[in-house]
């Protein structure tokens, strides 16, 4: 009997350790921005509800089964804790997408910076697996009345929700459907169900993207040339930048001469108040190249990219990229690039020195050997992480700057001066590349348009948030405020006075970065049924826009709200 009591006590102690490893992230939720500003009542409800979700299997199933089923959470909990500590939010869809879609070298670099958290997660997982294998197969928590409290909490919450939906749904089936939708939404916001549901959602979306590509093989926009107006541009170049913010461009008022070659030119128009559609590349690029929006992202699953619209009217299309396309590139970008007639991938490693000038020879070859209308998408590395690897030594003008293979762990506020200097040097490289590109296009003497827009901006330890890089759960102003550059020539080689006047008037307006593609279509004289031609930056009477923005959490924000919130 005494041995049995000791064994039971030992089992309780070991199980309590395992439960602690599983439950502590529930309390960590207090560090999220949602709960930090919530009322005491809401905090208590979320914590009790979250703990109940986790406690039901622990209390009602044998420990060997429950600990075994929940053991992956012992690892996931440390990932959740790290994300809350650094981003004040639970693990987001964007974080899962970036983890799955990033290249192996970047993944290993990230693991090296969080190795303590990673090791703690592995040890916690290993302990729970060990306990599940060694535990008595029939041992379970003694049944007491209080062991059913977590189940009661969940049932009472569901009952209140059902009552609330009574006025919205007239039938019992309708109430259950709304209850299920609401529960899924609630479970996405709490631990432990949130990170798991978000991962499953990302995996499902990636699978749906591949299936949609196959199903849309015969898709057509039914694009056609306009029957009225002047002939459109025969050379159309869309340059997609990376992590470049407006306020670090001297062409947008920055005190440093980061764009000396382009600054002061009266044939280039800068829209310095543009708003990016997202703060992550895999979300932003589809919004820039398709008709999908943060308000209607599902459109991207029903249509191909607008590269196809150019192909339908006889343009030769090409995608030239200094970002990885196949190895380590995002699936979204890879599928969009495949819509082009020619795909030229010049770099398959984002975690290595790579200068954007590498795109110039391929660009020159296409411009000089193609006599038919030409649509080129040029995807730059821009100001992506490891800024010092985005420019050659002769472009290191601002010093001291980062040097060598800088670890992400070194990206802290104490290195801000070197980080900002390296970032500004990376902008200098873009100045050289864009200037060289414009010279090549102008040399063809064909009517042309070039539009440059980054996918999103970048944090550089800016007050008041003090963040670095991009992908914040709630996008910061520095992540969404980007420039748009427009250069256009006519058949005569110069810009007509009407278009010049319109661009000069419009460039002071707040516009959405996603208006770049409608501008290109408009300049080429292409009409796409169902598209809004008034979105073009070449149209007169353009008003300020309140732009929709997709966040890594899957939520949508409005630019006016985000900018106003940070001003306060």
């Amino acid at each position: 009997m005494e041995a049995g009591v000791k064994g039971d006590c030992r089992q309780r102690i070991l199980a309590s350790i395992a439960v602690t490893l599983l439950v502590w992230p529930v309390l960590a939720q207090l560090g999220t921005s949602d709960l930090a500003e919530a009322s005491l009542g809401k905090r208590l409800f979320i914590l009790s509800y979250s703990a109940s979700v986790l406690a039901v299997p622990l209390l009602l199933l044998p420990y060997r089964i429950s600990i075994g089923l929940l053991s992956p959470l012992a690892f996931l909990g440390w990932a959740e804790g790290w994300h809350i500590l650094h981003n004040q939010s639970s693990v987001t869809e964007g974080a899962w997408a970036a983890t799955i879609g990033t290249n192996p070298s970047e993944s290993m670099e990230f693991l090296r910076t969080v190795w303590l958290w990673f090791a703690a997660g592995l040890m916690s997982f290993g302990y729970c697996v060990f306990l599940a294998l060694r535990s008595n197969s029939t041992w379970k928590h003694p049944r007491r009345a209080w062991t059913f409290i977590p189940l009661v909490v969940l049932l009472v919450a569901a009952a209140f929700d059902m009552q609330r939906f009574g006025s919205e749904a007239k039938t019992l089936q309708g109430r259950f459907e709304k209850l299920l939708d609401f529960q899924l939404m609630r479970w996405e916001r709490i631990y432990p169900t949130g990170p798991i549901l978000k991962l499953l959602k990302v995996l499902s979306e990636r699978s749906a993207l591949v299936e949609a590509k196959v199903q849309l093989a015969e898709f057509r926009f039914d694009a056609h040339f306009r029957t009225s107006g002047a002939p459109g541009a025969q050379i159309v170049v869309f340059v997609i930048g990376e992590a470049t913010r407006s306020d670090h461009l001297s062409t947008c008022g920055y005190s440093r001469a980061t764009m000396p070659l382009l600054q002061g030119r009266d044939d280039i128009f800068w829209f310095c108040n543009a708003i990016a559609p997202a703060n992550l590349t895999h979300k932003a690029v589809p919004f820039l190249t398709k008709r999908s929006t943060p308000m209607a992202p599902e459109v991207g699953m029903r249509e191909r990219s607008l590269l196809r619209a150019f192909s339908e009217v006889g343009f030769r299309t090409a995608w030239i990229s200094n970002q990885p396309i196949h190895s380590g590139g995002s699936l979204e970008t890879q599928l969009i690039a495949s819509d082009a007639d020619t795909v030229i991938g010049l770099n398959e490693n984002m975690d290595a020195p790579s200068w954007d000038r590498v795109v110039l020879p391929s660009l020159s070859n296409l411009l000089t050997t193609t006599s038919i209308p030409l649509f080129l998408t040029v995807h730059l590395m821009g100001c992506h992480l490891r800024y010092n690897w985005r420019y050659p030594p002769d472009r290191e003008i601002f010093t001291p700057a980062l040097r060598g293979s800088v670890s992400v762990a070194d990206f802290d506020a104490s290195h801000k001066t070197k980080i900002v200097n390296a970032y500004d040097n990376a902008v200098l490289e873009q100045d050289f590349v864009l200037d060289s590109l414009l010279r090549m296009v102008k040399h063809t003497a064909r009517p042309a348009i070039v539009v440059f827009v980054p996918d999103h901006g970048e944090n550089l330890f800016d007050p008041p948030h003090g963040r670095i890089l991009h992908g914040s759960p709630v996008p910061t102003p520095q992540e969404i405020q980007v420039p748009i550059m427009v250069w256009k020539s006519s058949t005569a080689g110069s810009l007509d006075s009407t278009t010049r006047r319109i661009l000069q008037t419009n460039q002071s307006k707040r516009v959405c970065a996603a208006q770049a593609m409608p501008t290109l279509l408009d300049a080429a004289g292409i009409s796409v049924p169902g598209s809004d031609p008034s979105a073009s930056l070449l149209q007169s009477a353009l008003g300020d826009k309140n732009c929709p923005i997709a966040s890594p959490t899957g939520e949508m924000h409005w630019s006016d709200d985000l900018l106003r919130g940070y001003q306060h």
Side-chain angles (χ1 to χ4, degrees), residues 1-65:
M1 175 68 72
E2 184 177 350
V5 172
K6 288 183 177 180
D8 190 63
C9 182
R10 176 175 175 273
Q11 187 73 48
R12 287 174 181 270
I13 293 173
L14 294 175
S16 297
I17 295 173
V19 170
T20 301
L21 294 174
L22 293 170
V23 172
W24 76 267
V26 171
L27 296 176
Q29 291 179 106
L30 289 173
T32 63
S33 56
D34 285 344
L35 288 187
E37 300 176 0
S39 64
L40 178 61
K42 182 177 180 180
R43 292 185 193 181
L44 291 175
F45 172 76
I46 293 297
L47 291 181
S48 61
Y49 191 89
S50 180
S52 297
V53 171
L54 194 59
V56 166
L58 287 171
L59 294 176
L60 301 183
L61 296 175
Y63 267 105
R64 184 171 190 174
I65 297 175

Side-chain angles (χ1 to χ4, degrees), residues 173-210:
Q173 180 181 350
R175 290 191 187 185
F176 273 113
E177 290 175 352
K178 285 186 172 292
L179 175 66
L180 180 59
D181 290 341
F182 184 78
Q183 293 301 313
L184 286 174
M185 183 177 67
R186 176 181 285 163
W187 290 345
E188 282 187 0
R189 292 176 175 270
I190 66 170
Y191 180 86
T193 49
I196 298 172
L197 289 174
K198 291 168 187 173
L199 173 60
L200 294 175
K201 185 175 181 179
V202 168
L203 293 175
S204 175
E205 288 176 348
R206 288 173 67 86
S207 176
L209 273 173
V210 176

Side-chain angles (χ1 to χ4, degrees), residues 253-265:
Y254 189 38
S255 58
R256 283 179 160 180
T258 52
M259 289 205 144
L261 299 175
L262 299 181
Q263 191 171 352
R265 288 180 51 169

Side-chain angles (χ1 to χ4, degrees), residues 54 90 155 230 272 285 315 526 532 548 561:
L54 194 59
S90 176
L155 292 175
C272 297
V285 171
F315 275 72
I526 299 173
D532 179 14
D561 295 334

Side-chain angles (χ1 to χ4, degrees), residues 48 143 245 278 283 304-305 373 375 421 424 468 472 506 555:
S48 61
R143 294 290 171 82
R245 47 192 270 188
K283 283 180 173 287
R304 298 180 73 168
S305 75
F375 177 79
N421 285 339
D424 288 346
I468 186 67
S472 302
N506 288 342
E555 297 178 335

